[in-house]
Amino acid sequence: MGFEDILKRHFDKVVKEVDFVKSTYNEMKKYGFTDQNSIAAVCVCRDEISQSLRSLIKYTWGEAFNFSSLAGMFTAGKTGLVAAMHHAPKLDGRERYVYFVIPHTAIDGNGRAGFCKRKGIEESSACGALCLFLKELNEGKLHISIDEEDIEESLMKRRLLSEIPYGYIPELIELTKITRGVIQSDLERVLNKVVDTTKSDYALITGIQIHSPDGNYIWPSECYAVVNGMKQEVSLGE
Ligand SMILES: [Zn+2]
């Protein structure tokens, strides 16, 4: 099976990265969010091959506040979130925030999950941080103490471990989907504490970025807008 079959097997719907970002703009415009009145904030992996997404978001939404850490985990916390909110345009008496939560994975030409090419490297892996975690799980040698010299990876492993049933080892793409859900809920937990929806509207856009021989795709996942305190589901990538 080639990568397209594997892609379809794991992801019910994928869109080219550029089309996905365009659709975030076109859809969110209907809910009152534009590049002029909103600030974007991005939670993606630090990996350089993930940054094409940040570039597209920048060209579409303007420079975005960067929440990124290894695997895209939301570790910026209350301080990071409040800072991003303070930087939002203050127009027509409201503030508007557009949050992107998009961890990543890869599928190579042979349909192997987690494998990709990079500049000058025939075989590499993505997401490296998640692959490392899986390797430890598979070897039964999981290190979960907080390593001062490896803070982000340690925090990521601890956080994800709490979402995986004891003794169960997910496949990489399943783990990436779990990660997406974790990042979303971690961001939402803080969002619910600090956002005043009487004064602000926000949108949450989530998905998974997939590196393939055919370029980057996005699997659109949960997406919604909260406008005047009302939550509305949004469909992306149509
Ligand atoms: Zn990564």
Side-chain angles (χ1 to χ4, degrees), residues 45-47 50 70-72 104 126-130:
C45 183
R46 290 183 179 277
D47 193 328
S50 282
L70 287 182
H104 71 142
C127 174
L130 292 181

